[in-house]
Amino acid sequence: MFQAGDLLVYGTTGVCRVLSIDRRQERVGSTRQERLYYQLKPIYQGGLIYTPVDNDKVSMRPIISRQEAEDLISEIPTLHPAACRASTTQALTQQYQASLRQHNCRSLVELAMSIHAKRRQAESQNRRLGMVDERYLKQAELLLFGELAAALEIPYEAVQPYIADRIAAVHS
């Protein structure tokens, strides 16, 4: 169980801070039952989330450690995911959603890299990236950069330059 102050990744919302753990009464059929709820504050967007501690519908996990973040960034130059291809927009959407549902940073890196590869191919043919690709690239980067920022304890805006600097240092 998480504690007040902990950072966690909540589904596709991203990094949230646990503000409190509260007991709430809820009606189950004709009886009232007490249940524990987390009060979560998303770090990179507004609002509050109230979710049962034992919620099994939405993934909740601790953010990665600083060392895991550093290791993942070090791995990026060795990853070569292929551009995602699908015969229909619906199939492409399902493929991208499956990557997001893995709820881990490595799959987010691979998803973002594959869409960037697809963008480069499209641009080389004087074409633009499709809307589905753009939407999932943005979502993957929001989730990835948000978690890396929290793990590395740097501002969200500094994540992309940090990754670029680390990769450049390896290649120089």
Side-chain angles (χ1 to χ4, degrees):
M1 191 163 110
F2 297 101
Q3 303 301 315
D6 287 352
L7 291 176
L8 58 87
V9 176
Y10 181 75
T12 55
T13 300
V15 178
C16 296
R17 183 173 307 281
V18 178
L19 295 181
S20 65
I21 304 167
D22 306 311
R23 292 187 185 281
R24 300 181 110 184
Q25 293 284 328
E26 60 181 38
R27 191 178 298 270
V28 179
S30 61
T31 62
R32 293 183 75 68
Q33 195 175 21
E34 207 170 75
R35 196 168 177 192
L36 288 176
Y37 275 75
Y38 290 125
Q39 180 183 16
L40 305 176
K41 171 73 177 115
I43 300 296
Y44 303 107
Q45 54 188 293
L48 290 174
I49 298 169
Y50 294 92
T51 186
V53 167
D54 58 356
N55 184 343
D56 59 357
K57 292 180 177 71
V58 179
S59 168
M60 285 187 278
R61 64 170 176 77
I63 65 167
I64 61 174
S65 69
R66 178 181 204 90
Q67 188 59 53
E68 289 168 321
E70 295 286 1
D71 292 348
L72 178 64
I73 292 168
S74 295
E75 270 184 65
I76 290 174
T78 67
L79 301 176
H80 302 286
C84 293
R85 300 279 177 218
S87 56
T88 66
T89 302
Q90 183 179 7
L92 186 63
T93 298
Q94 289 172 344
Q95 200 174 351
Y96 289 160
Q97 286 174 342
S99 286
L100 291 177
R101 277 194 298 270
Q102 291 181 37
H103 300 291
N104 72 64
C105 288
R106 185 185 177 95
S107 67
L108 293 173
V109 167
E110 290 173 348
L111 177 59
M113 288 177 73
S114 71
I115 297 173
H116 277 292
K118 195 171 183 179
R119 173 184 275 154
R120 284 189 298 278
Q121 290 172 353
E123 288 173 350
S124 73
Q125 299 166 353
N126 292 323
R127 294 179 37 234
R128 290 180 35 183
L129 195 60
M131 284 177 37
V132 170
D133 299 298
E134 290 284 0
R135 184 174 70 225
Y136 282 95
L137 174 60
K138 183 177 181 179
Q139 189 170 7
E141 287 181 341
L142 282 170
L143 292 169
L144 177 64
F145 294 168
E147 187 165 0
L148 290 175
L152 296 168
E153 299 175 347
I154 61 175
Y156 179 92
E157 306 77 38
V159 172
Q160 200 165 9
Y162 181 86
I163 292 170
D165 290 348
R166 283 278 314 277
I167 291 171
V170 169
H171 291 296
S172 58

